Amino acid sequence: MSDTIFKIKQIVSVIVFIGVLSLMGSITKQPLMILAYAVFFAAVMAVMFFLMRKRQRHYDLTKGANPLFRKIIGGVLMVAALAAPVLITVRSTIINLPATLSLGAVIGIVLGITVVFIALVLVALHLINNKGSELSMRIIGYVLFVIGAAIPGIMMSRIDKTTTSIGSVYYVALAVLVLAYNGYGYLLNKE
């Protein structure tokens, strides 16, 4: 009975997770995009489920057989993490950018901020998880994590201070974080 309840909780968690991430489609102001985002994230979750199912047996983790395939999946996830904010910024109307900025400048700024955000968060996680036996490394990791978490809000507040815009940026940051963390795990073969 407890296994059944555990599996039901897992399924509900995945559905809620996909539902929350699919709300990013509302940024584009096109209701159909919510469905498109839901399909995209459901497909990503399905691929990850099938990859994990081949490698995982009960609670024992085993190494994947093909390291090149893992690197390709990790690279694709990292590219998606870098491209998502650029695509959403350029294609949505939720962020009111100054008219003086050219498309190239917008892409450069958003890509630069995304790289800094991902780097800070991944370095923070590395310091907390891998160097966590030393208290000073954990403290540095948590400080970097807080700085990384503040970057999207600080940058958005300089352009548009409405709660909708800042909240939307954090939705995008959450998606970037999930994609980057999973890509990082695949690239470095972390279980």
Side-chain angles (χ1 to χ4, degrees):
M1 183 69 175
S2 64
D3 281 344
T4 306
I5 293 172
F6 179 72
K7 293 214 183 275
I8 290 171
K9 285 182 182 178
Q10 282 182 323
I11 291 169
V12 169
S13 298
V14 168
I15 291 170
V16 168
F17 182 72
I18 291 171
V20 167
L21 286 180
S22 69
L23 289 177
M24 284 192 327
S26 64
I27 294 172
T28 62
K29 305 243 175 165
Q30 298 175 1
L32 188 59
M33 289 306 291
I34 294 173
L35 182 62
Y37 273 75
V39 169
F40 170 75
F41 285 114
V44 169
M45 293 295 287
V47 167
M48 292 175 69
F49 172 75
F50 287 119
L51 288 174
M52 289 300 294
R53 189 172 176 193
K54 287 183 179 181
R55 290 186 299 126
Q56 188 172 353
R57 195 181 56 194
H58 199 50
Y59 290 104
D60 298 329
L61 292 175
T62 59
K63 296 282 182 189
N66 192 346
L68 178 62
F69 183 67
R70 291 177 61 83
K71 301 268 187 223
I72 291 171
I73 294 289
V76 167
L77 289 173
M78 290 302 279
V79 167
L82 291 170
V86 173
L87 290 173
I88 290 171
T89 301
V90 171
R91 299 190 53 98
S92 72
T93 59
I94 196 75
I95 300 172
N96 299 321
L97 297 173
T100 58
L101 288 176
S102 68
L103 180 63
V106 169
I107 291 172
I109 291 169
V110 171
L111 194 58
I113 292 169
T114 304
V115 168
V116 170
F117 172 71
I118 291 172
L120 280 173
V121 171
L122 291 180
V123 167
L125 290 173
H126 176 73
L127 290 175
I128 293 167
N129 293 336
N130 298 338
K131 306 282 185 189
S133 60
E134 301 173 31
L135 181 63
S136 61
M137 290 296 156
R138 272 194 309 223
I139 291 172
I140 293 170
Y142 284 118
V143 168
L144 288 177
F145 197 82
V146 168
I147 292 170
I151 286 177
I154 291 170
M155 297 310 292
M156 192 63 215
S157 68
R158 299 175 73 73
I159 297 170
D160 187 0
K161 294 183 180 185
T162 63
T163 56
T164 304
S165 296
I166 293 174
S168 298
V169 166
Y170 274 107
Y171 258 126
V172 175
L174 175 64
V176 167
L177 184 60
V178 169
L179 291 169
Y181 181 75
N182 285 312
Y184 170 77
Y186 277 111
L187 286 173
L188 297 180
N189 202 19
K190 296 283 183 189
E191 297 293 342

